Protein backbone atom coordinates (compact mmCIF):
# COMPACT_ATOMS: atom_id res chain seq x y z
CA UNK A 1 0.00 0.00 0.00
CA UNK A 2 1.29 3.46 -0.92
CA UNK A 3 1.32 5.88 2.00
CA UNK A 4 0.70 9.61 1.52
CA UNK A 5 4.26 10.50 2.57
CA UNK A 6 5.57 8.13 -0.10
CA UNK A 7 3.96 10.20 -2.92
CA UNK A 8 6.11 12.56 -4.92
CA UNK A 9 6.23 16.20 -3.71
CA UNK A 10 4.73 17.39 -7.01
CA UNK A 11 1.53 15.49 -6.33
CA UNK A 12 1.18 17.14 -2.89
CA UNK A 13 1.69 20.59 -4.39
CA UNK A 14 -0.83 19.87 -7.17
CA UNK A 15 -3.43 18.76 -4.61
CA UNK A 16 -2.90 21.87 -2.51
CA UNK A 17 -3.07 24.11 -5.58
CA UNK A 18 -6.29 22.46 -6.71
CA UNK A 19 -7.88 22.89 -3.27
CA UNK A 20 -6.75 26.52 -3.11
CA UNK A 21 -8.18 27.13 -6.57
CA UNK A 22 -11.55 25.66 -5.61
CA UNK A 23 -11.56 27.67 -2.37
CA UNK A 24 -10.76 30.91 -4.19
CA UNK A 25 -13.40 30.13 -6.79
CA UNK A 26 -15.96 29.46 -4.06
CA UNK A 27 -15.15 32.70 -2.24
CA UNK A 28 -15.28 34.64 -5.52
CA UNK A 29 -18.72 33.25 -6.35
CA UNK A 30 -19.97 34.02 -2.85
CA UNK A 31 -18.56 37.56 -3.00
CA UNK A 32 -20.10 38.25 -6.40
CA UNK A 33 -23.43 36.82 -5.26
CA UNK A 34 -23.43 38.99 -2.15
CA UNK A 35 -22.62 42.12 -4.14
CA UNK A 36 -25.33 41.29 -6.66
CA UNK A 37 -27.86 40.69 -3.88
CA UNK A 38 -26.95 43.98 -2.15
CA UNK A 39 -27.29 45.81 -5.43
CA UNK A 40 -30.62 44.17 -6.24
CA UNK A 41 -32.10 44.85 -2.80
CA UNK A 42 -31.02 48.50 -2.64
CA UNK A 43 -33.68 51.19 -2.77
CA UNK A 44 -32.01 52.73 -5.81
CA UNK A 45 -32.44 49.49 -7.76
CA UNK A 46 -36.07 49.23 -6.66
CA UNK A 47 -36.74 52.76 -7.95
CA UNK A 48 -35.03 51.96 -11.26
CA UNK A 49 -37.09 48.77 -11.65
CA UNK A 50 -40.28 50.64 -10.79
CA UNK A 51 -39.45 53.17 -13.50
CA UNK A 52 -38.69 50.38 -15.98
CA UNK A 53 -42.02 48.74 -15.12
CA UNK A 54 -43.85 51.97 -15.89
CA UNK A 55 -41.98 52.32 -19.20
CA UNK A 56 -42.62 48.67 -20.09
CA UNK A 57 -46.37 49.17 -19.54
CA UNK A 58 -46.55 51.95 -22.16
CA UNK A 59 -46.81 49.59 -25.17
CA UNK A 60 -49.69 47.82 -23.42
CA UNK A 61 -51.71 51.04 -23.41
CA UNK A 62 -50.68 52.20 -26.90
CA UNK A 63 -50.82 48.98 -28.92
CA UNK A 64 -53.82 46.61 -29.07
CA UNK A 65 -53.47 43.57 -26.86
CA UNK A 66 -54.32 40.07 -28.05
CA UNK A 67 -56.01 39.01 -24.80
CA UNK A 68 -58.34 42.03 -24.93
CA UNK A 69 -59.06 42.62 -28.61
CA UNK A 70 -57.55 40.01 -30.94
CA UNK A 71 -59.35 41.40 -34.00
CA UNK A 72 -57.66 44.80 -33.50
CA UNK A 73 -54.30 43.02 -33.34
CA UNK A 74 -55.03 41.29 -36.65
CA UNK A 75 -56.04 44.62 -38.19
CA UNK A 76 -52.83 46.23 -36.93
CA UNK A 77 -50.73 43.41 -38.38
CA UNK A 78 -52.49 43.73 -41.75
CA UNK A 79 -51.98 47.49 -41.78
CA UNK A 80 -48.35 47.53 -40.58
CA UNK A 81 -46.77 44.67 -42.49
CA UNK A 82 -43.23 45.91 -41.87
CA UNK A 83 -43.21 46.56 -38.14
CA UNK A 84 -46.13 44.39 -37.12
CA UNK A 85 -44.42 40.96 -37.27
CA UNK A 86 -41.35 42.28 -35.44
CA UNK A 87 -43.47 43.73 -32.66
CA UNK A 88 -45.41 40.48 -32.49
CA UNK A 89 -42.22 38.44 -32.07
CA UNK A 90 -41.18 40.76 -29.23
CA UNK A 91 -44.55 40.17 -27.49
CA UNK A 92 -45.66 43.80 -27.82
CA UNK A 93 -49.22 42.60 -28.42
CA UNK A 94 -49.16 40.59 -25.19
CA UNK A 95 -47.15 42.96 -23.01
CA UNK A 96 -48.37 41.88 -19.59
CA UNK A 97 -47.72 38.22 -20.35
CA UNK A 98 -44.36 38.74 -22.06
CA UNK A 99 -41.14 37.32 -20.59
CA UNK A 100 -39.45 40.72 -20.35
CA UNK A 101 -42.36 42.35 -18.50
CA UNK A 102 -42.63 39.36 -16.16
CA UNK A 103 -38.87 39.53 -15.50
CA UNK A 104 -39.05 43.22 -14.52
CA UNK A 105 -42.10 42.51 -12.37
CA UNK A 106 -40.44 39.60 -10.58
CA UNK A 107 -37.16 41.49 -10.04
CA UNK A 108 -39.05 44.44 -8.57
CA UNK A 109 -40.94 42.11 -6.25
CA UNK A 110 -37.72 40.41 -5.08
CA UNK A 111 -35.96 43.77 -4.71
CA UNK A 112 -38.71 45.16 -2.51
CA UNK A 113 -38.83 42.03 -0.34
CA UNK A 114 -35.05 41.99 0.10
CA UNK A 115 -35.03 45.71 0.88
CA UNK A 116 -37.96 45.82 3.28
CA UNK A 117 -37.40 42.72 5.40
CA UNK A 118 -34.09 43.96 6.94
CA UNK A 119 -35.58 47.43 7.46
CA UNK A 120 -38.61 45.93 9.17
CA UNK A 121 -36.39 43.86 11.44
CA UNK A 122 -34.32 46.91 12.39
CA UNK A 123 -37.42 49.01 12.98
CA UNK A 124 -38.99 46.31 15.17
CA UNK A 125 -35.81 46.16 17.27
CA UNK A 126 -35.87 49.96 17.61
CA UNK A 127 -39.50 49.85 18.75
CA UNK A 128 -38.97 47.29 21.53
CA UNK A 129 -35.64 48.39 22.94
CA UNK A 130 -35.33 51.27 25.38
CA UNK A 131 -33.99 54.67 24.28
CA UNK A 132 -30.17 54.94 24.31
CA UNK A 133 -28.06 56.44 27.08
CA UNK A 134 -27.70 60.16 27.33
CA UNK A 135 -24.54 61.63 25.75
CA UNK A 136 -21.83 62.93 28.01
CA UNK A 137 -21.84 66.52 26.66
CA UNK A 138 -25.26 68.05 26.08
CA UNK A 139 -23.72 71.26 24.71
CA UNK A 140 -22.78 69.40 21.54
CA UNK A 141 -26.42 68.60 20.81
CA UNK A 142 -28.47 70.85 18.51
CA UNK A 143 -30.62 71.88 21.52
CA UNK A 144 -29.52 72.07 25.13
CA UNK A 145 -30.53 73.86 28.32
CA UNK A 146 -29.26 74.31 31.92
CA UNK A 147 -31.77 74.65 34.74
CA UNK A 148 -30.78 76.49 37.91
CA UNK A 149 -30.88 74.83 41.30
CA UNK A 150 -30.20 71.28 42.43
CA UNK A 151 -32.00 68.19 41.22
CA UNK A 152 -33.65 65.47 43.27
CA UNK A 153 -35.38 62.16 42.68
CA UNK A 154 -38.72 63.99 42.82
CA UNK A 155 -37.56 66.19 39.93
CA UNK A 156 -36.68 63.09 37.92
CA UNK A 157 -40.15 61.61 38.49
CA UNK A 158 -41.83 64.91 37.56
CA UNK A 159 -39.77 65.19 34.34
CA UNK A 160 -40.60 61.60 33.43
CA UNK A 161 -44.32 62.33 33.85
CA UNK A 162 -43.99 65.43 31.67
CA UNK A 163 -42.37 63.41 28.89
CA UNK A 164 -44.83 60.53 29.18
CA UNK A 165 -47.71 63.00 28.98
CA UNK A 166 -46.27 64.15 25.67
CA UNK A 167 -46.16 60.48 24.54
CA UNK A 168 -42.38 60.07 24.73
CA UNK A 169 -40.98 56.61 25.41
CA UNK A 170 -38.82 57.13 28.47
CA UNK A 171 -36.33 55.25 30.57
CA UNK A 172 -34.55 56.29 33.75
CA UNK A 173 -30.96 55.23 34.54
CA UNK A 174 -29.13 55.77 37.83
CA UNK A 175 -25.39 56.30 38.16
CA UNK A 176 -24.73 56.96 41.84
CA UNK A 177 -26.43 60.22 42.77
CA UNK A 178 -26.93 61.13 39.09
CA UNK A 179 -30.20 60.22 37.33
CA UNK A 180 -30.44 60.23 33.56
CA UNK A 181 -33.67 60.27 31.60
CA UNK A 182 -33.70 59.25 27.92
CA UNK A 183 -36.86 59.83 25.91
CA UNK A 184 -37.71 59.21 22.28
CA UNK A 185 -40.69 59.95 20.04
CA UNK A 186 -41.64 59.99 16.37
CA UNK A 187 -41.46 56.39 15.18
CA UNK A 188 -44.49 57.11 13.00
CA UNK A 189 -42.28 58.38 10.19
CA UNK A 190 -40.34 55.14 9.75
CA UNK A 191 -43.47 53.07 10.44
CA UNK A 192 -45.36 54.99 7.75
CA UNK A 193 -42.43 54.58 5.39
CA UNK A 194 -42.43 50.83 5.89
CA UNK A 195 -46.22 50.63 5.61
CA UNK A 196 -46.03 52.58 2.35
CA UNK A 197 -43.48 50.22 0.82
CA UNK A 198 -45.20 47.06 2.07
CA UNK A 199 -48.45 48.44 0.63
CA UNK A 200 -46.69 48.89 -2.69
CA UNK A 201 -45.55 45.29 -2.42
CA UNK A 202 -49.12 44.17 -1.74
CA UNK A 203 -50.32 46.12 -4.79
CA UNK A 204 -47.84 44.26 -6.97
CA UNK A 205 -48.92 40.95 -5.47
CA UNK A 206 -52.63 41.80 -5.85
CA UNK A 207 -52.24 42.71 -9.50
CA UNK A 208 -50.25 39.53 -10.18
CA UNK A 209 -52.74 37.38 -8.24
CA UNK A 210 -55.66 38.89 -10.15
CA UNK A 211 -53.84 38.32 -13.43
CA UNK A 212 -53.25 34.65 -12.61
CA UNK A 213 -56.67 33.75 -11.24
CA UNK A 214 -58.94 36.41 -12.74
CA UNK A 215 -60.86 36.57 -16.00
CA UNK A 216 -63.17 38.88 -17.90
CA UNK A 217 -65.40 38.92 -20.97
CA UNK A 218 -67.57 41.36 -22.92
CA UNK A 219 -70.91 40.70 -24.52
CA UNK A 220 -73.79 42.50 -26.26
CA UNK A 221 -77.11 41.48 -24.74
CA UNK A 222 -80.30 42.11 -26.76
CA UNK A 223 -83.79 42.44 -25.31
CA UNK A 224 -86.00 39.36 -25.45
CA UNK A 225 -86.28 35.77 -24.32
CA UNK A 226 -84.50 34.51 -27.44
CA UNK A 227 -81.26 36.34 -26.55
CA UNK A 228 -80.47 35.02 -23.08
CA UNK A 229 -76.79 34.84 -22.24
CA UNK A 230 -75.15 32.02 -20.30
CA UNK A 231 -71.65 32.27 -18.92
CA UNK A 232 -69.58 30.16 -21.29
CA UNK A 233 -66.60 31.18 -23.40
CA UNK A 234 -68.44 30.57 -26.67
CA UNK A 235 -71.03 33.20 -25.76
CA UNK A 236 -68.54 36.03 -25.29
CA UNK A 237 -67.66 38.53 -27.99
CA UNK A 238 -64.30 39.10 -26.29
CA UNK A 239 -62.75 37.30 -23.36
CA UNK A 240 -59.48 36.80 -21.52
CA UNK A 241 -58.65 34.13 -18.95
CA UNK A 242 -55.93 34.24 -16.34
CA UNK A 243 -52.97 31.87 -16.53
CA UNK A 244 -54.46 29.60 -13.85
CA UNK A 245 -58.09 29.73 -15.07
CA UNK A 246 -59.71 27.19 -17.36
CA UNK A 247 -63.03 27.19 -19.17
CA UNK A 248 -64.56 24.88 -16.57
CA UNK A 249 -63.64 27.29 -13.77
CA UNK A 250 -66.21 29.88 -14.88
CA UNK A 251 -69.25 30.19 -12.59
CA UNK A 252 -72.54 29.04 -14.04
CA UNK A 253 -75.27 31.67 -14.46
CA UNK A 254 -77.56 33.06 -17.17
CA UNK A 255 -78.78 36.60 -17.89
CA UNK A 256 -81.72 37.88 -19.92
CA UNK A 257 -82.39 41.52 -20.71
CA UNK A 258 -86.10 42.16 -20.18
CA UNK A 259 -86.26 45.93 -20.47
CA UNK A 260 -83.98 48.91 -20.88
CA UNK A 261 -84.75 52.54 -20.03
CA UNK A 262 -82.61 55.60 -20.65
CA UNK A 263 -83.14 59.28 -19.93
CA UNK A 264 -81.33 62.16 -21.59
CA UNK A 265 -80.82 65.88 -21.22
CA UNK A 266 -82.01 68.25 -23.95
CA UNK A 267 -78.52 68.20 -25.51
CA UNK A 268 -78.59 64.40 -25.76
CA UNK A 269 -76.30 63.71 -22.81
CA UNK A 270 -77.41 60.52 -21.01
CA UNK A 271 -78.59 60.89 -17.42
CA UNK A 272 -79.55 57.35 -16.43
CA UNK A 273 -79.22 53.87 -17.91
CA UNK A 274 -81.39 51.23 -16.24
CA UNK A 275 -81.51 47.63 -17.39
CA UNK A 276 -83.97 45.15 -15.88
CA UNK A 277 -82.45 41.69 -16.16
CA UNK A 278 -83.49 38.19 -15.21
CA UNK A 279 -80.73 36.25 -13.43
CA UNK A 280 -80.57 32.48 -13.01
CA UNK A 281 -77.82 31.00 -10.84
CA UNK A 282 -77.56 27.93 -8.61
CA UNK A 283 -81.09 26.93 -9.51
CA UNK A 284 -82.56 30.24 -8.32
CA UNK A 285 -84.08 33.00 -10.46
CA UNK A 286 -84.43 36.66 -9.58
CA UNK A 287 -85.21 40.00 -11.17
CA UNK A 288 -82.37 42.50 -10.81
CA UNK A 289 -81.62 46.01 -12.00
CA UNK A 290 -78.32 46.85 -13.63
CA UNK A 291 -77.06 50.44 -13.78
CA UNK A 292 -73.87 52.28 -14.64
CA UNK A 293 -71.42 52.18 -11.69
CA UNK A 294 -73.75 49.78 -9.90
CA UNK A 295 -72.79 46.28 -11.06
CA UNK A 296 -74.53 43.02 -10.34
CA UNK A 297 -72.53 41.12 -7.75
CA UNK A 298 -73.10 37.46 -8.52
CA UNK A 299 -71.49 34.40 -7.04
CA UNK A 300 -68.03 34.38 -8.64
CA UNK A 301 -68.43 37.34 -11.00
CA UNK A 302 -69.51 40.96 -11.30
CA UNK A 303 -71.59 42.19 -14.25
CA UNK A 304 -71.17 45.85 -15.24
CA UNK A 305 -73.20 47.93 -17.69
CA UNK A 306 -70.96 49.59 -20.26
CA UNK A 307 -73.11 50.96 -23.08
CA UNK A 308 -76.34 50.89 -25.00
CA UNK A 309 -77.53 50.76 -28.60
CA UNK A 310 -80.25 49.65 -31.01
CA UNK A 311 -80.75 46.44 -32.98
CA UNK A 312 -83.04 46.95 -36.04
CA UNK A 313 -85.32 44.06 -36.90
CA UNK A 314 -85.66 43.34 -40.66
CA UNK A 315 -88.07 40.92 -42.29
CA UNK A 316 -87.14 39.77 -45.80
CA UNK A 317 -89.45 37.87 -48.16
CA UNK A 318 -87.65 36.16 -51.05
CA UNK A 319 -88.99 35.41 -54.53
CA UNK A 320 -90.41 32.05 -53.39
CA UNK A 321 -92.43 33.70 -50.63
CA UNK A 322 -90.25 32.51 -47.77
CA UNK A 323 -89.94 35.04 -44.97
CA UNK A 324 -86.81 35.40 -42.85
CA UNK A 325 -86.26 37.72 -39.90
CA UNK A 326 -82.96 39.17 -38.79
CA UNK A 327 -82.04 41.11 -35.63
CA UNK A 328 -78.73 42.90 -36.18
CA UNK A 329 -76.80 44.88 -33.60
CA UNK A 330 -75.90 48.30 -34.96
CA UNK A 331 -72.92 50.01 -33.32
CA UNK A 332 -73.18 53.71 -32.32
CA UNK A 333 -70.85 56.04 -34.19
CA UNK A 334 -71.50 59.17 -32.10
CA UNK A 335 -72.97 60.31 -28.81
CA UNK A 336 -76.44 60.72 -30.33
CA UNK A 337 -76.51 56.97 -31.15
CA UNK A 338 -76.28 57.30 -34.90
CA UNK A 339 -75.67 53.61 -35.53
CA UNK A 340 -74.18 51.57 -38.35
CA UNK A 341 -74.37 47.89 -39.12
CA UNK A 342 -75.39 45.20 -41.57
CA UNK A 343 -78.17 42.65 -41.89
CA UNK A 344 -77.47 39.52 -43.91
CA UNK A 345 -79.77 36.84 -45.35
CA UNK A 346 -77.53 34.04 -46.70
CA UNK A 347 -80.19 31.28 -46.69
CA UNK A 348 -82.79 32.86 -48.98
CA UNK A 349 -83.95 32.29 -52.55
CA UNK A 350 -83.86 28.51 -52.12
CA UNK A 351 -86.06 26.66 -54.58
CA UNK A 352 -88.59 24.72 -52.46
CA UNK A 353 -88.97 22.05 -55.14
CA UNK A 354 -85.32 21.29 -55.90
CA UNK A 355 -83.98 22.55 -52.56
CA UNK A 356 -81.13 24.23 -54.41
CA UNK A 357 -79.83 27.64 -53.50
CA UNK A 358 -78.62 30.29 -55.85
CA UNK A 359 -75.43 31.36 -54.07
CA UNK A 360 -75.31 34.51 -56.17
CA UNK A 361 -78.75 35.57 -54.92
CA UNK A 362 -77.80 36.06 -51.28
CA UNK A 363 -79.03 39.35 -49.83
CA UNK A 364 -77.31 41.77 -47.50
CA UNK A 365 -78.12 45.27 -46.27
CA UNK A 366 -75.68 47.92 -45.13
CA UNK A 367 -77.52 50.43 -43.00
CA UNK A 368 -77.49 53.53 -40.84
CA UNK A 369 -80.05 53.89 -38.08
CA UNK A 370 -81.17 57.31 -36.85
CA UNK A 371 -83.15 57.22 -33.58
CA UNK A 372 -84.38 60.75 -34.33
CA UNK A 373 -84.23 61.93 -37.93
CA UNK A 374 -82.80 65.47 -38.28
CA UNK A 375 -84.79 68.31 -39.79
CA UNK A 376 -82.13 68.76 -42.45
CA UNK A 377 -82.39 65.75 -44.83
CA UNK A 378 -78.78 66.23 -45.97
CA UNK A 379 -77.47 65.40 -42.48
CA UNK A 380 -76.87 61.66 -41.97
CA UNK A 381 -76.72 61.75 -38.20
CA UNK A 382 -79.30 61.51 -35.47
CA UNK A 383 -80.67 64.63 -33.80
CA UNK A 384 -81.31 62.88 -30.45
CA UNK A 385 -80.36 59.51 -28.91
CA UNK A 386 -83.94 58.54 -27.98
CA UNK A 387 -86.32 57.08 -30.58
CA UNK A 388 -88.47 60.18 -31.14
CA UNK A 389 -88.69 59.85 -34.95
CA UNK A 390 -86.63 56.84 -36.07
CA UNK A 391 -85.47 56.11 -39.61
CA UNK A 392 -83.46 53.26 -41.09
CA UNK A 393 -81.38 53.92 -44.21
CA UNK A 394 -80.51 50.74 -46.12
CA UNK A 395 -78.38 49.96 -49.12
CA UNK A 396 -79.27 46.50 -50.53
CA UNK A 397 -76.51 44.20 -51.83
CA UNK A 398 -76.91 40.99 -53.80
CA UNK A 399 -74.40 38.29 -54.63
CA UNK A 400 -72.02 36.15 -52.58
CA UNK A 401 -71.80 37.22 -48.94
CA UNK A 402 -68.67 35.13 -48.33
CA UNK A 403 -69.88 32.97 -45.46
CA UNK A 404 -68.86 29.79 -47.26
CA UNK A 405 -65.28 30.96 -47.92
CA UNK A 406 -64.06 29.82 -44.51
CA UNK A 407 -62.46 33.18 -43.66
CA UNK A 408 -63.48 35.04 -40.48
CA UNK A 409 -66.02 37.79 -41.11
CA UNK A 410 -67.22 40.75 -39.08
CA UNK A 411 -70.89 40.83 -38.12
CA UNK A 412 -70.89 44.63 -38.39
CA UNK A 413 -69.69 45.08 -41.99
CA UNK A 414 -70.09 43.29 -45.31
CA UNK A 415 -67.15 41.40 -46.73
CA UNK A 416 -65.20 44.03 -48.67
CA UNK A 417 -63.24 41.28 -50.48
CA UNK A 418 -66.44 40.09 -52.14
CA UNK A 419 -67.37 43.65 -53.10
CA UNK A 420 -63.92 44.39 -54.55
CA UNK A 421 -64.00 41.11 -56.52
CA UNK A 422 -67.42 41.98 -57.97
CA UNK A 423 -69.12 38.97 -56.39
CA UNK A 424 -71.26 41.23 -54.17
CA UNK A 425 -72.76 44.41 -55.64
CA UNK A 426 -75.33 47.05 -54.84
CA UNK A 427 -78.87 45.99 -55.67
CA UNK A 428 -81.23 48.88 -56.27
CA UNK A 429 -81.41 52.35 -54.79
CA UNK A 430 -80.91 53.23 -51.12
CA UNK A 431 -83.99 52.91 -48.95
CA UNK A 432 -85.33 55.09 -46.13
CA UNK A 433 -87.80 53.22 -43.94
CA UNK A 434 -89.90 54.00 -40.91
CA UNK A 435 -90.81 51.29 -38.38
CA UNK A 436 -93.39 48.99 -39.99
CA UNK A 437 -92.69 50.26 -43.51
CA UNK A 438 -91.78 47.91 -46.40
CA UNK A 439 -89.93 48.34 -49.70
CA UNK A 440 -89.73 46.24 -52.85
CA UNK A 441 -86.37 45.34 -54.37
CA UNK A 442 -85.73 45.16 -58.17
CA UNK A 443 -86.28 41.38 -58.26
CA UNK A 444 -89.69 41.67 -56.62
CA UNK A 445 -88.58 40.59 -53.16
CA UNK A 446 -89.51 42.77 -50.19
CA UNK A 447 -87.85 43.98 -47.03
CA UNK A 448 -89.69 45.37 -44.01
CA UNK A 449 -88.33 47.42 -41.15
CA UNK A 450 -90.24 45.82 -38.28
CA UNK A 451 -88.79 47.97 -35.50
CA UNK A 452 -85.90 47.85 -33.07
CA UNK A 453 -84.80 46.05 -29.98
CA UNK A 454 -82.44 47.67 -27.53
CA UNK A 455 -79.17 46.09 -26.52
CA UNK A 456 -76.67 46.70 -23.76
CA UNK A 457 -72.98 45.93 -23.62
CA UNK A 458 -71.94 44.19 -20.42
CA UNK A 459 -68.60 43.31 -18.91
CA UNK A 460 -68.42 40.15 -16.81
CA UNK A 461 -65.36 40.15 -14.60
CA UNK A 462 -63.82 38.24 -11.73
CA UNK A 463 -60.72 39.70 -10.07
CA UNK A 464 -59.70 37.91 -6.85
CA UNK A 465 -56.84 40.36 -6.41
CA UNK A 466 -59.18 43.34 -6.12
CA UNK A 467 -59.54 43.20 -2.29
CA UNK A 468 -55.76 42.95 -1.98
CA UNK A 469 -55.26 45.94 -4.27
CA UNK A 470 -57.91 47.94 -2.39
CA UNK A 471 -56.36 47.17 0.98
CA UNK A 472 -52.90 47.97 -0.40
CA UNK A 473 -54.10 51.31 -1.78
CA UNK A 474 -55.62 52.30 1.58
CA UNK A 475 -52.48 51.21 3.43
CA UNK A 476 -50.31 53.04 0.91
CA UNK A 477 -52.18 56.29 1.53
CA UNK A 478 -52.08 55.82 5.30
CA UNK A 479 -48.36 55.03 5.21
CA UNK A 480 -47.65 58.07 3.06
CA UNK A 481 -49.51 60.34 5.49
CA UNK A 482 -47.63 58.82 8.43
CA UNK A 483 -44.29 59.17 6.66
CA UNK A 484 -44.91 62.84 5.91
CA UNK A 485 -46.27 63.74 9.35
CA UNK A 486 -43.89 61.77 11.59
CA UNK A 487 -40.90 63.56 13.15
CA UNK A 488 -38.48 61.44 15.14
CA UNK A 489 -36.62 63.16 18.00
CA UNK A 490 -34.82 62.42 21.29
CA UNK A 491 -34.72 64.37 24.55
CA UNK A 492 -32.31 63.78 27.47
CA UNK A 493 -32.23 65.03 31.06
CA UNK A 494 -29.44 64.67 33.64
CA UNK A 495 -30.47 65.29 37.26
CA UNK A 496 -27.71 65.66 39.84
CA UNK A 497 -27.27 67.47 43.18
CA UNK A 498 -25.46 70.24 41.30
CA UNK A 499 -28.32 70.95 38.86
CA UNK A 500 -30.46 69.78 35.95
CA UNK A 501 -29.33 69.85 32.33
CA UNK A 502 -31.28 68.92 29.18
CA UNK A 503 -30.45 68.17 25.56
CA UNK A 504 -32.44 67.52 22.42
CA UNK A 505 -31.65 65.85 19.12
CA UNK A 506 -34.01 65.72 16.07
CA UNK A 507 -33.50 62.48 14.18
CA UNK A 508 -35.17 63.87 11.04
CA UNK A 509 -35.95 67.23 9.52
CA UNK A 510 -38.11 68.99 12.11
CA UNK A 511 -38.20 72.81 11.84
CA UNK A 512 -40.36 73.15 14.97
CA UNK A 513 -38.12 71.11 17.24
CA UNK A 514 -36.52 74.17 18.92
CA UNK A 515 -39.93 75.46 20.07
CA UNK A 516 -41.00 71.98 21.21
CA UNK A 517 -37.76 71.52 23.17
CA UNK A 518 -38.19 74.91 24.85
CA UNK A 519 -41.74 74.01 25.90
CA UNK A 520 -40.55 70.67 27.35
CA UNK A 521 -37.79 72.40 29.32
CA UNK A 522 -40.18 75.00 30.72
CA UNK A 523 -42.65 72.28 31.70
CA UNK A 524 -39.89 70.17 33.28
CA UNK A 525 -38.26 73.02 35.23
CA UNK A 526 -38.85 73.14 39.00
CA UNK A 527 -41.46 75.62 40.17
CA UNK A 528 -38.85 78.00 41.60
CA UNK A 529 -36.39 77.51 38.77
CA UNK A 530 -36.08 79.16 35.40
CA UNK A 531 -33.90 77.73 32.61
CA UNK A 532 -30.65 79.61 32.50
CA UNK A 533 -29.89 78.73 28.90
CA UNK A 534 -31.77 77.38 25.92
CA UNK A 535 -29.42 77.30 22.97
CA UNK A 536 -29.15 75.85 19.48
CA UNK A 537 -25.91 74.82 17.88
CA UNK A 538 -25.05 75.96 14.39
CA UNK A 539 -24.19 72.46 13.15
CA UNK A 540 -25.63 69.11 14.10
CA UNK A 541 -23.03 66.61 15.25
CA UNK A 542 -24.14 63.02 15.66
CA UNK A 543 -23.45 62.09 19.27
CA UNK A 544 -26.08 59.44 19.91
Amino acid sequence: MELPHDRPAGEHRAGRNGADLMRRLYHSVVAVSRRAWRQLTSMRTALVLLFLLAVAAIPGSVLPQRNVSPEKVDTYLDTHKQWGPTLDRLSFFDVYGSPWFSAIYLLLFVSLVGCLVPRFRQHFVALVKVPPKAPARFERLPQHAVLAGSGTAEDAERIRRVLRKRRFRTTVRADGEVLEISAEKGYLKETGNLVFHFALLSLLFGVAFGSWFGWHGNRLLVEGDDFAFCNTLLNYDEHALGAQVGENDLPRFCLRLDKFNASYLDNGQPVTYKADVHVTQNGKSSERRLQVNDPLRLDGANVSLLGHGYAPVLRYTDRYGKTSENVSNFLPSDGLLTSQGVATFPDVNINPQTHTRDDKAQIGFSGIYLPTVPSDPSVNSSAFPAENDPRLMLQPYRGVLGFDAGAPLSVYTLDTRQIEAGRLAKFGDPLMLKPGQSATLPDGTTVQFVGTRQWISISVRHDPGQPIVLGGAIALLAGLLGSLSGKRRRVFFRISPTGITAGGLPRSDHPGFAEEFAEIVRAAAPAASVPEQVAQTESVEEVV
Side-chain angles (χ1 to χ4, degrees), residues 281 288 290 293-304 466:
Q281 186 177 31
R288 307 283 291 274
L290 180 61
N293 298 327
D294 186 14
L296 292 180
R297 304 191 182 278
L298 305 178
D299 186 12
N302 293 333
V303 182
S304 302
Q466 193 175 37

Side-chain angles (χ1 to χ4, degrees), residues 136 138 144-147 159 492-496 499-503 517:
F138 284 172
H144 63 276
V146 178
L147 283 71
I159 294 173
F492 305 97
F493 282 88
R494 182 174 288 116
I495 300 98
S496 66
I500 303 175
T501 56
F517 179 77

